[in-house]
Amino acid sequence: MRRFAADRAKKLVLSFQRSLYSQPPFSSCAAAAMSSNPLPVTVDTINAEVLKCEYAVRGEIVTHAQILYCNFGNPQSLGQQPITFFREVLALCDHPSLLDRDETHALFSSDSIERAWQILDQIPDRATGAYSHCQGVKGLRDSIAAGIAARDGFHANADDLFLTDGASPAVHMMMQLLLRSEKDGILCPIPQYPLYSASITLHGGTLVPYYLNEATGWGLEISEVKKQLEAAQSKGIAVWALVVINPGNPTGQVLTEDNQREIVDFCKKEGLVLLADEVYQENVYVDNKKFNSFKKISRSMGYGEEDIALVSFQSISKGYHGECGKRGGCMEVCGFSADVREQIYKIATVNACSNISGQILAGLVMNPPKAGDESFESYSAERDGILSSLARRAKTLEDTFKSLEGVSCNKAEGAMYLFPRIDLPQKAIEAAAAVKTAPDAFYALRLLDATGIVVVPGSGFGQVPGTWHIRCTILPPEDKIPAIVTRLTAFHESFMAEFRE
Ligand code: DCS
């Protein structure tokens, strides 16, 4: 087991602390810029919003860890294998001369060869190294639109789709569009995935928090959202949008259809854009819940383009495929006026286009092999194997957290995380304060130091003041889970024994 030297751990605590609590420096930028320093750009001269924004998932605490990464939703970095069919098609598209060779038929499935031809025929000059249309290759958007329509039972339009390098740039695009100053606000769940807080900060707006109710399995309650909306408005903040992450990160809940209808009605009534983060749509592990897109829900309520503005963020990084490094995503934009649409289009043109491999994968995940295709059986076995293993890992870790003294834990209905609450003894809170560390960060550092297990302190996602959490992914390989369970349990027992009153 890897152990950290005491001074190393101390340094880690202190540097993590700095990143969490430091304020942006407000020294005279002009003076710094005019100095004769040969490196004129310093942290005093750069954009203060960059200094302010925080991204806990990859914070200092992570940088020094060696083993058992439970901090990052990055499946293939933990040994998850890519889906063979997707990679076969991608390889053939990237090196099309393979398609003319006899050996290729022995090495690749017939439907991957056929699919690669289809995709290459959609790409002008079959040039996967050329820029595409700024929204993404039209033929790929057509097939993604067909996949969305098959998923939802409602029409999807290829012109509403913007293919992006993952969901993250799409979120930035929308924040860039909506936010003009700190007087503009976006309603965001707390806890939230810090892409939202970081992006709102970077674009100079205000995050209007609404708290998910931990007691009801991180339920999203309209009364709470309404209260926070009104509080923000009374402070003169113009609130433009409501972010909903479904399934939730870090909270793992899957919304019920009734709840989704309430949310749609609320946005319609209040004139809010519904920013629906649906990157975990394939990651649902319980039989009594099902993913429904907000587009499907709103259309099934009879609402069309003119009734509600809705943006759905999708990604190839999550699901059973976990192709984080290939950077592919798709944003479906509905219910904006033609002139606003033009401006969204303009932002997309500034970015030229997203990478073509990511675009191809985005097309494939929405249109995987079908029954009767040569790859269908192996594809289904790979997909189901990954999803059922994730469900088992989620359950084992959930049961482990629940068994620990002073810990309660959500059910991971979906997504890739557990977000247990730890009722830390007062003595531990005081010990954390003595080293100027947030109590959950203190716990996470002790855990890392003792076991090599890396989790993210709850403060990185936001939590009700006075409550403490950690986020732990369910992604480590199944054969490593018993070691995690044993180490975590032993650590927690000794931590509680040390600090128990
Ligand atoms: N939205 C949510 C809810 C996410 O969890 C993530 C990534 C993204 C968007 C952005 O993903 P891509 O840009 O790759 O499409 N999840 C991060 C996390 O929580 N841990 O690792 C990555």
Side-chain angles (χ1 to χ4, degrees), residues 294-337:
F294 271 104
K295 163 115 173 295
K296 172 183 167 183
I297 296 292
S298 65
R299 297 293 177 265
S300 69
M301 294 167 79
Y303 297 146
E305 285 279 327
E306 59 295 339
D307 295 303
I308 179 166
L310 175 63
V311 181
S312 162
F313 301 110
Q314 308 183 34
S315 174
I316 62 166
S317 301
K318 309 301 171 183
Y320 54 90
H321 25 79
E323 294 277 17
C324 302
K326 296 291 181 195
R327 308 309 293 137
C330 171
M331 166 170 88
E332 188 182 13
V333 177
C334 304
F336 288 85
S337 64

mmCIF file of all heavy atoms in Angstrom, residues 294-337:
data_model
loop_
_atom_site.group_PDB
_atom_site.id
_atom_site.type_symbol
_atom_site.label_atom_id
_atom_site.label_comp_id
_atom_site.label_asym_id
_atom_site.label_seq_id
_atom_site.Cartn_x
_atom_site.Cartn_y
_atom_site.Cartn_z
ATOM 1 N N PHE A 294 -35.638 15.343 -21.385
ATOM 2 C CA PHE A 294 -36.572 16.447 -21.160
ATOM 3 C C PHE A 294 -37.289 16.829 -22.449
ATOM 4 O O PHE A 294 -38.411 17.317 -22.414
ATOM 5 C CB PHE A 294 -35.835 17.647 -20.559
ATOM 6 C CG PHE A 294 -35.809 17.604 -19.061
ATOM 7 C CD1 PHE A 294 -34.659 17.244 -18.380
ATOM 8 C CD2 PHE A 294 -36.948 17.896 -18.326
ATOM 9 C CE1 PHE A 294 -34.642 17.186 -16.990
ATOM 10 C CE2 PHE A 294 -36.945 17.837 -16.936
ATOM 11 C CZ PHE A 294 -35.790 17.481 -16.271
ATOM 12 N N LYS A 295 -36.658 16.586 -23.575
ATOM 13 C CA LYS A 295 -37.333 16.882 -24.853
ATOM 14 C C LYS A 295 -38.547 15.979 -25.003
ATOM 15 O O LYS A 295 -39.642 16.434 -25.340
ATOM 16 C CB LYS A 295 -36.320 16.669 -25.984
ATOM 17 C CG LYS A 295 -36.914 16.533 -27.361
ATOM 18 C CD LYS A 295 -36.512 17.681 -28.255
ATOM 19 C CE LYS A 295 -36.955 17.463 -29.682
ATOM 20 N NZ LYS A 295 -36.273 16.321 -30.299
ATOM 21 N N LYS A 296 -38.359 14.690 -24.708
ATOM 22 C CA LYS A 296 -39.476 13.751 -24.802
ATOM 23 C C LYS A 296 -40.596 14.162 -23.842
ATOM 24 O O LYS A 296 -41.776 14.170 -24.211
ATOM 25 C CB LYS A 296 -38.985 12.336 -24.471
ATOM 26 C CG LYS A 296 -40.093 11.317 -24.340
ATOM 27 C CD LYS A 296 -39.539 9.963 -23.950
ATOM 28 C CE LYS A 296 -40.654 9.049 -23.511
ATOM 29 N NZ LYS A 296 -40.141 7.748 -23.055
ATOM 30 N N ILE A 297 -40.217 14.496 -22.614
ATOM 31 C CA ILE A 297 -41.227 14.867 -21.618
ATOM 32 C C ILE A 297 -41.989 16.104 -22.088
ATOM 33 O O ILE A 297 -43.226 16.134 -22.069
ATOM 34 C CB ILE A 297 -40.561 15.125 -20.236
ATOM 35 C CG1 ILE A 297 -39.929 13.842 -19.690
ATOM 36 C CG2 ILE A 297 -41.549 15.721 -19.236
ATOM 37 C CD1 ILE A 297 -40.892 12.741 -19.296
ATOM 38 N N SER A 298 -41.254 17.121 -22.549
ATOM 39 C CA SER A 298 -41.953 18.361 -22.923
ATOM 40 C C SER A 298 -42.830 18.139 -24.153
ATOM 41 O O SER A 298 -43.962 18.633 -24.202
ATOM 42 C CB SER A 298 -40.962 19.507 -23.135
ATOM 43 O OG SER A 298 -40.148 19.235 -24.231
ATOM 44 N N ARG A 299 -42.348 17.342 -25.112
ATOM 45 C CA ARG A 299 -43.189 17.072 -26.296
ATOM 46 C C ARG A 299 -44.401 16.227 -25.905
ATOM 47 O O ARG A 299 -45.498 16.423 -26.432
ATOM 48 C CB ARG A 299 -42.375 16.376 -27.388
ATOM 49 C CG ARG A 299 -41.221 17.195 -27.943
ATOM 50 C CD ARG A 299 -41.684 18.429 -28.724
ATOM 51 N NE ARG A 299 -40.553 19.220 -29.187
ATOM 52 C CZ ARG A 299 -40.037 20.285 -28.545
ATOM 53 N NH1 ARG A 299 -40.578 20.719 -27.410
ATOM 54 N NH2 ARG A 299 -39.003 20.942 -29.036
ATOM 55 N N SER A 300 -44.209 15.317 -24.970
ATOM 56 C CA SER A 300 -45.352 14.466 -24.576
ATOM 57 C C SER A 300 -46.381 15.280 -23.788
ATOM 58 O O SER A 300 -47.535 14.862 -23.661
ATOM 59 C CB SER A 300 -44.880 13.247 -23.763
ATOM 60 O OG SER A 300 -44.402 13.685 -22.511
ATOM 61 N N MET A 301 -45.978 16.435 -23.279
ATOM 62 C CA MET A 301 -46.933 17.327 -22.601
ATOM 63 C C MET A 301 -47.624 18.249 -23.606
ATOM 64 O O MET A 301 -48.415 19.121 -23.230
ATOM 65 C CB MET A 301 -46.193 18.185 -21.551
ATOM 66 C CG MET A 301 -45.630 17.377 -20.399
ATOM 67 S SD MET A 301 -44.453 18.348 -19.413
ATOM 68 C CE MET A 301 -45.581 19.330 -18.421
ATOM 69 N N GLY A 302 -47.260 18.090 -24.864
ATOM 70 C CA GLY A 302 -47.885 18.903 -25.911
ATOM 71 C C GLY A 302 -47.164 20.218 -26.164
ATOM 72 O O GLY A 302 -47.644 21.057 -26.923
ATOM 73 N N TYR A 303 -45.995 20.411 -25.524
ATOM 74 C CA TYR A 303 -45.259 21.658 -25.726
ATOM 75 C C TYR A 303 -44.331 21.538 -26.936
ATOM 76 O O TYR A 303 -43.599 20.569 -27.074
ATOM 77 C CB TYR A 303 -44.412 22.008 -24.488
ATOM 78 C CG TYR A 303 -45.229 22.250 -23.247
ATOM 79 C CD1 TYR A 303 -44.748 21.905 -21.990
ATOM 80 C CD2 TYR A 303 -46.498 22.840 -23.319
ATOM 81 C CE1 TYR A 303 -45.490 22.127 -20.842
ATOM 82 C CE2 TYR A 303 -47.249 23.062 -22.169
ATOM 83 C CZ TYR A 303 -46.743 22.705 -20.943
ATOM 84 O OH TYR A 303 -47.474 22.921 -19.811
ATOM 85 N N GLY A 304 -44.370 22.566 -27.753
ATOM 86 C CA GLY A 304 -43.522 22.575 -28.950
ATOM 87 C C GLY A 304 -42.448 23.633 -28.827
ATOM 88 O O GLY A 304 -42.191 24.177 -27.748
ATOM 89 N N GLU A 305 -41.827 23.927 -29.968
ATOM 90 C CA GLU A 305 -40.734 24.902 -30.054
ATOM 91 C C GLU A 305 -41.066 26.245 -29.422
ATOM 92 O O GLU A 305 -40.227 26.893 -28.817
ATOM 93 C CB GLU A 305 -40.404 25.155 -31.535
ATOM 94 C CG GLU A 305 -39.638 24.051 -32.197
ATOM 95 C CD GLU A 305 -38.153 24.128 -31.876
ATOM 96 O OE1 GLU A 305 -37.635 25.231 -31.710
ATOM 97 O OE2 GLU A 305 -37.534 23.051 -31.767
ATOM 98 N N GLU A 306 -42.313 26.672 -29.624
ATOM 99 C CA GLU A 306 -42.683 28.029 -29.187
ATOM 100 C C GLU A 306 -42.996 28.085 -27.688
ATOM 101 O O GLU A 306 -43.126 29.175 -27.115
ATOM 102 C CB GLU A 306 -43.859 28.574 -30.017
ATOM 103 C CG GLU A 306 -45.159 27.771 -29.987
ATOM 104 C CD GLU A 306 -45.052 26.363 -30.614
ATOM 105 O OE1 GLU A 306 -44.151 26.078 -31.429
ATOM 106 O OE2 GLU A 306 -45.897 25.536 -30.253
ATOM 107 N N ASP A 307 -43.070 26.927 -27.033
ATOM 108 C CA ASP A 307 -43.483 26.913 -25.624
ATOM 109 C C ASP A 307 -42.323 26.963 -24.645
ATOM 110 O O ASP A 307 -42.423 27.534 -23.578
ATOM 111 C CB ASP A 307 -44.298 25.649 -25.329
ATOM 112 C CG ASP A 307 -45.589 25.644 -26.098
ATOM 113 O OD1 ASP A 307 -46.351 26.609 -25.939
ATOM 114 O OD2 ASP A 307 -45.827 24.703 -26.881
ATOM 115 N N ILE A 308 -41.249 26.310 -24.999
ATOM 116 C CA ILE A 308 -40.152 26.205 -24.020
ATOM 117 C C ILE A 308 -38.802 26.095 -24.743
ATOM 118 O O ILE A 308 -38.679 25.389 -25.750
ATOM 119 C CB ILE A 308 -40.363 24.999 -23.058
ATOM 120 C CG1 ILE A 308 -39.195 24.900 -22.071
ATOM 121 C CG2 ILE A 308 -40.577 23.687 -23.787
ATOM 122 C CD1 ILE A 308 -39.464 23.994 -20.897
ATOM 123 N N ALA A 309 -37.825 26.835 -24.214
ATOM 124 C CA ALA A 309 -36.465 26.729 -24.749
ATOM 125 C C ALA A 309 -35.737 25.642 -23.966
ATOM 126 O O ALA A 309 -35.736 25.637 -22.732
ATOM 127 C CB ALA A 309 -35.733 28.059 -24.611
ATOM 128 N N LEU A 310 -35.144 24.743 -24.705
ATOM 129 C CA LEU A 310 -34.603 23.537 -24.096
ATOM 130 C C LEU A 310 -33.281 23.188 -24.772
ATOM 131 O O LEU A 310 -33.198 23.182 -26.007
ATOM 132 C CB LEU A 310 -35.640 22.424 -24.334
ATOM 133 C CG LEU A 310 -35.339 21.019 -23.916
ATOM 134 C CD1 LEU A 310 -35.167 20.941 -22.420
ATOM 135 C CD2 LEU A 310 -36.483 20.103 -24.348
ATOM 136 N N VAL A 311 -32.264 22.937 -23.964
ATOM 137 C CA VAL A 311 -30.986 22.490 -24.521
ATOM 138 C C VAL A 311 -30.614 21.184 -23.830
ATOM 139 O O VAL A 311 -30.616 21.108 -22.598
ATOM 140 C CB VAL A 311 -29.867 23.536 -24.285
ATOM 141 C CG1 VAL A 311 -28.555 23.069 -24.901
ATOM 142 C CG2 VAL A 311 -30.267 24.896 -24.835
ATOM 143 N N SER A 312 -30.325 20.160 -24.626
ATOM 144 C CA SER A 312 -29.907 18.884 -24.052
ATOM 145 C C SER A 312 -28.423 18.678 -24.354
ATOM 146 O O SER A 312 -27.992 18.811 -25.503
ATOM 147 C CB SER A 312 -30.728 17.753 -24.663
ATOM 148 O OG SER A 312 -30.083 16.515 -24.438
ATOM 149 N N PHE A 313 -27.651 18.383 -23.298
ATOM 150 C CA PHE A 313 -26.220 18.101 -23.475
ATOM 151 C C PHE A 313 -26.012 16.590 -23.426
ATOM 152 O O PHE A 313 -26.456 15.922 -22.492
ATOM 153 C CB PHE A 313 -25.397 18.757 -22.370
ATOM 154 C CG PHE A 313 -25.560 20.250 -22.304
ATOM 155 C CD1 PHE A 313 -26.237 20.846 -21.247
ATOM 156 C CD2 PHE A 313 -25.047 21.067 -23.301
ATOM 157 C CE1 PHE A 313 -26.400 22.220 -21.177
ATOM 158 C CE2 PHE A 313 -25.206 22.447 -23.249
ATOM 159 C CZ PHE A 313 -25.886 23.025 -22.182
ATOM 160 N N GLN A 314 -25.325 16.074 -24.445
ATOM 161 C CA GLN A 314 -25.041 14.649 -24.486
ATOM 162 C C GLN A 314 -23.538 14.463 -24.729
ATOM 163 O O GLN A 314 -22.878 15.381 -25.192
ATOM 164 C CB GLN A 314 -25.844 13.998 -25.614
ATOM 165 C CG GLN A 314 -27.323 14.357 -25.490
ATOM 166 C CD GLN A 314 -28.199 13.684 -26.525
ATOM 167 O OE1 GLN A 314 -27.943 12.566 -26.925
ATOM 168 N NE2 GLN A 314 -29.236 14.372 -26.949
ATOM 169 N N SER A 315 -23.059 13.260 -24.433
ATOM 170 C CA SER A 315 -21.606 13.069 -24.481
ATOM 171 C C SER A 315 -21.264 11.628 -24.811
ATOM 172 O O SER A 315 -22.014 10.714 -24.459
ATOM 173 C CB SER A 315 -21.027 13.416 -23.102
ATOM 174 O OG SER A 315 -19.663 13.127 -23.068
ATOM 175 N N ILE A 316 -20.109 11.447 -25.476
ATOM 176 C CA ILE A 316 -19.624 10.069 -25.658
ATOM 177 C C ILE A 316 -18.743 9.638 -24.480
ATOM 178 O O ILE A 316 -18.275 8.517 -24.432
ATOM 179 C CB ILE A 316 -18.829 9.905 -26.977
ATOM 180 C CG1 ILE A 316 -17.580 10.795 -26.990
ATOM 181 C CG2 ILE A 316 -19.707 10.195 -28.190
ATOM 182 C CD1 ILE A 316 -16.585 10.450 -28.085
ATOM 183 N N SER A 317 -18.525 10.554 -23.515
ATOM 184 C CA SER A 317 -17.602 10.249 -22.416
ATOM 185 C C SER A 317 -18.194 9.274 -21.405
ATOM 186 O O SER A 317 -17.469 8.664 -20.637
ATOM 187 C CB SER A 317 -17.236 11.526 -21.649
ATOM 188 O OG SER A 317 -16.647 12.470 -22.489
ATOM 189 N N LYS A 318 -19.499 9.200 -21.336
ATOM 190 C CA LYS A 318 -20.142 8.457 -20.250
ATOM 191 C C LYS A 318 -20.800 7.196 -20.808
ATOM 192 O O LYS A 318 -20.273 6.589 -21.707
ATOM 193 C CB LYS A 318 -21.143 9.373 -19.545
ATOM 194 C CG LYS A 318 -20.531 10.715 -19.134
ATOM 195 C CD LYS A 318 -19.337 10.547 -18.205
ATOM 196 C CE LYS A 318 -18.597 11.843 -17.975
ATOM 197 N NZ LYS A 318 -17.431 11.709 -17.148
ATOM 198 N N GLY A 319 -21.962 6.809 -20.300
ATOM 199 C CA GLY A 319 -22.632 5.612 -20.803
ATOM 200 C C GLY A 319 -21.800 4.374 -20.556
ATOM 201 O O GLY A 319 -21.034 4.289 -19.602
ATOM 202 N N TYR A 320 -21.937 3.376 -21.453
ATOM 203 C CA TYR A 320 -21.160 2.141 -21.352
ATOM 204 C C TYR A 320 -19.895 2.259 -22.198
ATOM 205 O O TYR A 320 -19.011 1.432 -22.143
ATOM 206 C CB TYR A 320 -21.999 0.941 -21.846
ATOM 207 C CG TYR A 320 -22.553 1.171 -23.229
ATOM 208 C CD1 TYR A 320 -21.841 0.804 -24.354
ATOM 209 C CD2 TYR A 320 -23.781 1.805 -23.410
ATOM 210 C CE1 TYR A 320 -22.323 1.061 -25.618
ATOM 211 C CE2 TYR A 320 -24.277 2.066 -24.661
ATOM 212 C CZ TYR A 320 -23.537 1.696 -25.772
ATOM 213 O OH TYR A 320 -24.024 1.981 -27.017
ATOM 214 N N HIS A 321 -19.819 3.314 -23.015
ATOM 215 C CA HIS A 321 -18.695 3.448 -23.941
ATOM 216 C C HIS A 321 -17.519 4.195 -23.314
ATOM 217 O O HIS A 321 -16.372 3.850 -23.551
ATOM 218 C CB HIS A 321 -19.142 4.105 -25.241
ATOM 219 C CG HIS A 321 -20.367 4.961 -25.091
ATOM 220 N ND1 HIS A 321 -20.314 6.220 -24.580
ATOM 221 C CD2 HIS A 321 -21.675 4.703 -25.335
ATOM 222 C CE1 HIS A 321 -21.542 6.724 -24.533
ATOM 223 N NE2 HIS A 321 -22.400 5.822 -24.975
ATOM 224 N N GLY A 322 -17.824 5.266 -22.502
ATOM 225 C CA GLY A 322 -16.774 5.954 -21.742
ATOM 226 C C GLY A 322 -15.618 6.470 -22.577
ATOM 227 O O GLY A 322 -14.462 6.395 -22.168
ATOM 228 N N GLU A 323 -15.931 7.041 -23.737
ATOM 229 C CA GLU A 323 -14.864 7.486 -24.643
ATOM 230 C C GLU A 323 -14.449 8.928 -24.334
ATOM 231 O O GLU A 323 -14.443 9.797 -25.228
ATOM 232 C CB GLU A 323 -15.339 7.365 -26.105
ATOM 233 C CG GLU A 323 -15.584 5.937 -26.571
ATOM 234 C CD GLU A 323 -14.300 5.224 -27.018
ATOM 235 O OE1 GLU A 323 -13.191 5.691 -26.688
ATOM 236 O OE2 GLU A 323 -14.435 4.190 -27.701
ATOM 237 N N CYS A 324 -14.071 9.175 -23.054
ATOM 238 C CA CYS A 324 -13.757 10.547 -22.615
ATOM 239 C C CYS A 324 -12.685 11.223 -23.462
ATOM 240 O O CYS A 324 -12.803 12.400 -23.811
ATOM 241 C CB CYS A 324 -13.248 10.532 -21.179
ATOM 242 S SG CYS A 324 -14.369 9.805 -20.001
ATOM 243 N N GLY A 325 -11.636 10.459 -23.777
ATOM 244 C CA GLY A 325 -10.499 11.069 -24.471
ATOM 245 C C GLY A 325 -10.770 11.358 -25.928
ATOM 246 O O GLY A 325 -10.010 12.087 -26.574
ATOM 247 N N LYS A 326 -11.805 10.777 -26.484
ATOM 248 C CA LYS A 326 -12.102 11.024 -27.907
ATOM 249 C C LYS A 326 -12.848 12.339 -28.094
ATOM 250 O O LYS A 326 -13.005 12.792 -29.228
ATOM 251 C CB LYS A 326 -12.925 9.873 -28.503
ATOM 252 C CG LYS A 326 -12.219 8.551 -28.526
ATOM 253 C CD LYS A 326 -11.079 8.580 -29.533
ATOM 254 C CE LYS A 326 -10.394 7.236 -29.567
ATOM 255 N NZ LYS A 326 -9.095 7.305 -30.244
ATOM 256 N N ARG A 327 -13.314 12.922 -27.007
ATOM 257 C CA ARG A 327 -13.961 14.223 -27.002
ATOM 258 C C ARG A 327 -15.069 14.334 -28.055
ATOM 259 O O ARG A 327 -14.903 14.913 -29.132
ATOM 260 C CB ARG A 327 -12.944 15.359 -27.197
ATOM 261 C CG ARG A 327 -11.754 15.353 -26.262
ATOM 262 C CD ARG A 327 -12.137 15.235 -24.797
ATOM 263 N NE ARG A 327 -12.846 16.370 -24.268
ATOM 264 C CZ ARG A 327 -13.914 16.249 -23.470
ATOM 265 N NH1 ARG A 327 -14.393 15.063 -23.127
ATOM 266 N NH2 ARG A 327 -14.509 17.305 -23.001
ATOM 267 N N GLY A 328 -16.189 13.788 -27.734
ATOM 268 C CA GLY A 328 -17.359 13.910 -28.613
ATOM 269 C C GLY A 328 -18.577 14.244 -27.790
ATOM 270 O O GLY A 328 -18.721 13.808 -26.641
ATOM 271 N N GLY A 329 -19.431 15.049 -28.334
ATOM 272 C CA GLY A 329 -20.665 15.396 -27.634
ATOM 273 C C GLY A 329 -21.626 16.030 -28.595
ATOM 274 O O GLY A 329 -21.284 16.286 -29.760
ATOM 275 N N CYS A 330 -22.810 16.246 -28.100
ATOM 276 C CA CYS A 330 -23.842 16.779 -28.966
ATOM 277 C C CYS A 330 -24.786 17.626 -28.124
ATOM 278 O O CYS A 330 -25.158 17.240 -27.019
ATOM 279 C CB CYS A 330 -24.579 15.596 -29.588
ATOM 280 S SG CYS A 330 -26.022 16.083 -30.482
ATOM 281 N N MET A 331 -25.119 18.791 -28.659
ATOM 282 C CA MET A 331 -26.052 19.679 -27.958
ATOM 283 C C MET A 331 -27.267 19.829 -28.861
ATOM 284 O O MET A 331 -27.132 20.207 -30.027
ATOM 285 C CB MET A 331 -25.332 21.010 -27.747
ATOM 286 C CG MET A 331 -26.189 22.151 -27.343
ATOM 287 S SD MET A 331 -25.179 23.576 -26.843
ATOM 288 C CE MET A 331 -24.937 24.405 -28.406
ATOM 289 N N GLU A 332 -28.440 19.505 -28.327
ATOM 290 C CA GLU A 332 -29.678 19.674 -29.092
ATOM 291 C C GLU A 332 -30.355 20.944 -28.575
ATOM 292 O O GLU A 332 -30.647 21.072 -27.380
ATOM 293 C CB GLU A 332 -30.604 18.469 -28.899
ATOM 294 C CG GLU A 332 -31.812 18.504 -29.818
ATOM 295 C CD GLU A 332 -32.773 17.329 -29.601
ATOM 296 O OE1 GLU A 332 -32.655 16.619 -28.586
ATOM 297 O OE2 GLU A 332 -33.661 17.150 -30.458
ATOM 298 N N VAL A 333 -30.569 21.877 -29.479
ATOM 299 C CA VAL A 333 -31.049 23.211 -29.101
ATOM 300 C C VAL A 333 -32.442 23.431 -29.673
ATOM 301 O O VAL A 333 -32.619 23.427 -30.892
ATOM 302 C CB VAL A 333 -30.081 24.276 -29.680
ATOM 303 C CG1 VAL A 333 -30.573 25.684 -29.377
ATOM 304 C CG2 VAL A 333 -28.676 24.086 -29.130
ATOM 305 N N CYS A 334 -33.434 23.584 -28.798
ATOM 306 C CA CYS A 334 -34.810 23.769 -29.277
ATOM 307 C C CYS A 334 -35.433 25.000 -28.621
ATOM 308 O O CYS A 334 -35.129 25.321 -27.462
ATOM 309 C CB CYS A 334 -35.688 22.578 -28.896
ATOM 310 S SG CYS A 334 -35.073 21.008 -29.460
ATOM 311 N N GLY A 335 -36.307 25.663 -29.358
ATOM 312 C CA GLY A 335 -37.136 26.712 -28.760
ATOM 313 C C GLY A 335 -36.486 28.080 -28.651
ATOM 314 O O GLY A 335 -36.876 28.876 -27.805
ATOM 315 N N PHE A 336 -35.506 28.360 -29.505
ATOM 316 C CA PHE A 336 -34.919 29.716 -29.541
ATOM 317 C C PHE A 336 -35.370 30.403 -30.824
ATOM 318 O O PHE A 336 -35.573 29.748 -31.849
ATOM 319 C CB PHE A 336 -33.390 29.645 -29.509
ATOM 320 C CG PHE A 336 -32.826 29.236 -28.171
ATOM 321 C CD1 PHE A 336 -32.699 27.886 -27.839
ATOM 322 C CD2 PHE A 336 -32.444 30.193 -27.239
ATOM 323 C CE1 PHE A 336 -32.200 27.495 -26.611
ATOM 324 C CE2 PHE A 336 -31.939 29.811 -26.002
ATOM 325 C CZ PHE A 336 -31.821 28.459 -25.687
ATOM 326 N N SER A 337 -35.503 31.733 -30.771
ATOM 327 C CA SER A 337 -35.925 32.472 -31.959
ATOM 328 C C SER A 337 -34.828 32.385 -33.030
ATOM 329 O O SER A 337 -33.653 32.122 -32.712
ATOM 330 C CB SER A 337 -36.187 33.938 -31.601
ATOM 331 O OG SER A 337 -34.973 34.528 -31.190
#
